[in-house]
Amino acid sequence: MDEEGERLMNLCRRLSALLLAALLMTAGAALPALAAAPSQEQITVLFTHDLHSHFLPVSDGQGGAYGGYARLKTVIDQQKAIHPDALLLDGGDFSMGSLFQTAYSASALELRVMGAMGYDVTTFGNHEYDYRAAGLADMLQAALASGGPLPAIVEANYLPPEEGQEGYDQDAQAVWDAFDDYGVADYVLLERGGIWYAVFGIAGLDADECAPMSGMVLHDIQDTARRVVEEATAACLEENGVEPVIICLSHSGTDGKGKGEDYELAREVDGIDLIISGHTHSTLAQPIQVGDTYIVSAGEYGKNLGSITLNWDGSGVSLASYELIPIDGSVEEDAGLARWIQQAKGEVEENYLSAFGLGFDQALADNPYVFDSVDQVSATQHESTLGNLFADAYRWAAEQATGAQVDVAITASGVIRESLPQGEVTVSDVFNAASLGIGADGVPGYPLVSVYLTGADLKTVLEIDASVTPLMPAAQLFSAGVEYSFNTSRMLFNKVTGSALRRDDGSTEAIVDNQLYHVVTGLYCGQMLGAVEDTSFGLLSVTARDENGNPIDMDRLEDYIVHDQEGSEVKEWYAIAAYLQSMDGEVEGAYGQTDGRKVVYASWNPVELFKNPNKFTFIALGVLLALILIVVLVVALVVRRITRRKGSYTRGYQGYRGRRRGVHR
């Protein structure tokens, strides 16, 4: 090798050495960074809540429709194609809201269709107890007997009484047996794509209050959640060697302002990564973050499929993405599920509607008017043409069934579940609007009840509407046979400024305090009115009576159910359907506008504020006068003390000046 070649060889060796050193230094610098970065994976959860048996799309009041399980199934499948390891969860109230619920106890259509859509886990909402403990037990057994795919069910704190506890009976034991057979548990552990999840169920305080005939015992929400988080985490560590993602299916809800029962749950209980929040029908455009917990809601009736993707580092989560996917007319129906639903409609017609001589899609009347939506019914205190129609239907149906005159009929916004559409109104539409509950006969649908109220108690009912509704919109009342007005600016529990009976000929009569009046309402509404004394801390009370004026034991209100001439219970929904049928094909013009039976206004005119005062206004005025007197006395004492001090100061100053003069002299 010549001298020039050797120099080139040495240069190559030096360059190679330098390059190798640079590579080693770069690798060495990168290793600590790699070691410090925690491993992180993404998880996706798809969710719904408050489906309420809405197998079919719901009118949006603007010529379109949202929801429908055949559409929902299409979107679920699309999302699972994108996220193969996604969980599909539901936050409860999967039943009660359409004609399909009538097969709840007999064939469990709701759980079966959820299984067909691919749901992994659901929980119970308050409406799963509408058919009482026995109905829940029958539903679970019917679901098992179907042999098809079913979602797991979790419920940790809303459970039947145990043997030896108050309320334990054969129905409670039937629920325990059904829980064991189905596998209902506090929580379940699931693995998807190498990630373990612990999913548990919780019922809230308001959910319990909305299930007066559940027969269940509500255990402390936060204590139960802490226990389940601890137990599920320990079980997953022991069995699988990893911590699980903790997901709570909570039927408790948020208040629309970023707070509510689920907010409190997240704030008080550590370790929950995600809360699927049902019950309040909330739609959260973005998750609520409380500490390390995310709270999500997708709206009711399957109007959206919620999708949340989280970063998971093995011990906690952070938000990656969140989306509410609309289920609307732009989504094609899944053909297989659409056929399944059609078969279910036939089952409902055969096993339920045939007893009423009606069909699922049978037209009852044409409606040329736009009625309030469900949200509008509750949004403000007002007279509603939809509420008027329902109350008139109850009064008409009770009189048709019994031949007895009914003075007043009452319904509440909380039992109006849907509006009636403009155009053709079908049997299905009417049932959906008044779909709650079950009667003493075990047949779906709350029945009407017939009781008597004194005039004084009837006036109290009107005051409940005026004073309680702002605090509890579901308590807004709509009535037939009575007219009244109230000033929203007046004293609480003394807002009503005038009331009278309204007779069929348009004449009015004064309501006499000690006279009995025949009143008809729905069973659930009657039970709620019976609970007024407890909910108003004893300030208000309404005593239901029999025709002789004897007080009724509200635990026996079912003894006063309205029956027709064949002895069948008159259901709320059927009263409305029959009333519409009586209109000869078109909804009567009276429902095109309100008729002044409830007048709501606001006035600060002193005459309007203080006319017709009752004890609450006198008490408030007495308290106000006492406060004014106290303030006057305090001011007088302060002024007197200041005056005394000023006098002492003046005399002292004058003496000082005198002394100064003496010194100068």
Side-chain angles (χ1 to χ4, degrees), residues 93 125-127 158 203-212 218 221 251-254 260-261 278-281 471-472 474 524 528:
D93 268 4
N126 51 288
H127 285 291
Y158 201 51
L205 290 169
D206 190 70
D208 174 45
E209 292 175 0
C210 291
L218 182 71
I221 298 163
H251 204 74
S252 304
T254 56
E261 289 189 51
H279 182 57
T280 49
H281 294 200
L471 306 174
M472 189 184 301
Y524 184 81
M528 293 300 99

Side-chain angles (χ1 to χ4, degrees), residues 34 56 92 216 244 330 519 605 615 652 655:
L34 289 172
L56 299 171
M216 301 294 114
S330 66
V519 178
N605 183 309
K615 63 179 180 181

Side-chain angles (χ1 to χ4, degrees), residues 388-401:
N388 289 352
L389 189 152
F390 285 15
D392 288 346
Y394 294 177
R395 186 183 184 203
W396 174 88
E399 290 183 339
Q400 292 290 312

Side-chain angles (χ1 to χ4, degrees), residues 5 57 72 196 201 220 280 317 389 392 429 433 488 538 558 604:
L72 180 59
W196 281 92
D220 187 270
T280 49
V317 296
L389 189 152
D392 288 346
D429 293 325
T488 57
E558 290 180 348
W604 291 100

Side-chain angles (χ1 to χ4, degrees), residues 18 21 25 111 196 216 230 259 267 293 347 360 384 425 460 467 480 539-541 605 649:
L18 287 171
M25 289 175 65
L111 284 181
W196 281 92
M216 301 294 114
E230 182 179 340
K259 297 295 179 67
R267 190 179 69 174
T293 304
E347 182 177 331
F360 199 104
S384 165
V425 180
T460 298
S467 292
L539 296 176
L540 297 176
S541 65
N605 183 309
Y649 173 76

Side-chain angles (χ1 to χ4, degrees), residues 48-388:
T48 58
H49 52 86
D50 300 292
L51 291 172
H52 286 293
S53 304
H54 276 64
F55 288 46
L56 299 171
V58 180
S59 171
D60 62 7
Q62 299 175 347
Y66 64 83
Y69 293 173
R71 294 174 178 175
L72 180 59
K73 176 68 161 60
T74 296
V75 177
I76 289 170
D77 289 347
Q78 291 171 348
Q79 289 300 305
K80 286 192 171 182
I82 300 170
H83 307 286
D85 297 321
L87 288 183
L88 178 58
L89 307 176
D90 180 77
D93 268 4
F94 51 78
S95 62
M96 306 302 151
S98 80
L99 269 168
F100 294 99
Q101 77 186 48
T102 60
Y104 179 80
S105 299
S107 58
L109 290 176
E110 290 85 0
L111 284 181
R112 289 166 55 197
V113 77
M114 291 175 78
M117 287 190 284
Y119 278 84
D120 294 299
V121 192
T122 187
T123 190
F124 297 129
N126 51 288
H127 285 291
E128 270 68 78
Y129 304 93
D130 278 4
Y131 290 179
R132 314 183 195 199
L136 176 65
D138 289 343
M139 185 272 294
L140 293 174
Q141 298 292 2
L144 287 173
S146 72
L150 301 168
I153 300 176
V154 288
E155 180 58 69
N157 75 315
Y158 201 51
L159 304 169
E162 297 183 15
E163 188 171 2
Q165 288 183 329
E166 182 180 355
Y168 175 82
D169 56 17
Q170 63 181 11
D171 288 340
Q173 186 56 52
V175 175
W176 282 119
D177 292 342
F179 277 14
D180 289 340
D181 293 341
Y182 192 99
V184 177
D186 290 356
Y187 67 91
V188 294
L189 295 177
L190 300 172
E191 183 270 333
R192 293 288 187 277
I195 305 296
W196 281 92
Y197 301 83
V199 184
F200 71 101
I202 287 289
L205 290 169
D206 190 70
D208 174 45
E209 292 175 0
C210 291
M213 293 185 290
S214 71
M216 301 294 114
V217 177
L218 182 71
H219 298 274
D220 187 270
I221 298 163
Q222 294 172 11
D223 286 348
T224 301
R226 291 188 192 95
R227 172 183 62 79
V228 173
V229 168
E230 182 179 340
E231 289 180 2
T233 301
C236 196
L237 281 168
E238 181 179 351
E239 296 172 16
N240 308 301
V242 295
E243 288 191 14
V245 180
I246 303 288
I247 302 175
C248 176
L249 305 182
S250 175
H251 204 74
S252 304
T254 56
D255 61 4
K257 303 174 184 177
K259 297 295 179 67
E261 289 189 51
D262 281 328
Y263 178 91
E264 297 302 322
L265 175 65
R267 190 179 69 174
E268 298 298 328
V269 179
D270 294 331
I272 303 175
D273 297 303
L274 177 65
I275 296 176
I276 310 296
S277 179
H279 182 57
T280 49
H281 294 200
S282 301
T283 303
L284 297 177
Q286 291 296 324
I288 299 171
Q289 185 174 2
V290 185
D292 297 325
T293 304
Y294 292 93
I295 304 171
V296 296
S297 295
E300 75 281 9
Y301 305 161
K303 65 171 59 172
N304 299 298
L305 175 67
S307 174
I308 184 168
T309 298
L310 299 167
N311 301 311
W312 168 248
D313 64 8
S315 61
V317 296
S318 60
L319 182 65
S321 65
Y322 178 77
E323 183 181 13
L324 300 181
I325 305 166
I327 310 300
D328 56 26
S330 66
V331 179
E332 290 188 13
E333 292 188 341
D334 178 87
L337 198 64
R339 287 192 297 272
W340 194 100
I341 292 171
Q342 280 299 119
Q343 293 173 355
K345 285 175 66 174
E347 182 177 331
V348 169
E349 286 189 325
E350 179 180 353
N351 297 331
Y352 182 72
L353 288 176
S354 60
F356 298 90
L358 297 171
F360 199 104
D361 296 317
Q362 178 179 339
L364 298 169
D366 182 71
N367 172 34
Y369 311 111
V370 177
F371 287 125
D372 284 344
S373 69
V374 171
D375 290 340
Q376 290 169 336
V377 165
S378 301
T380 61
Q381 290 178 283
H382 70 298
E383 181 184 347
S384 165
T385 53
L386 184 69
N388 289 352

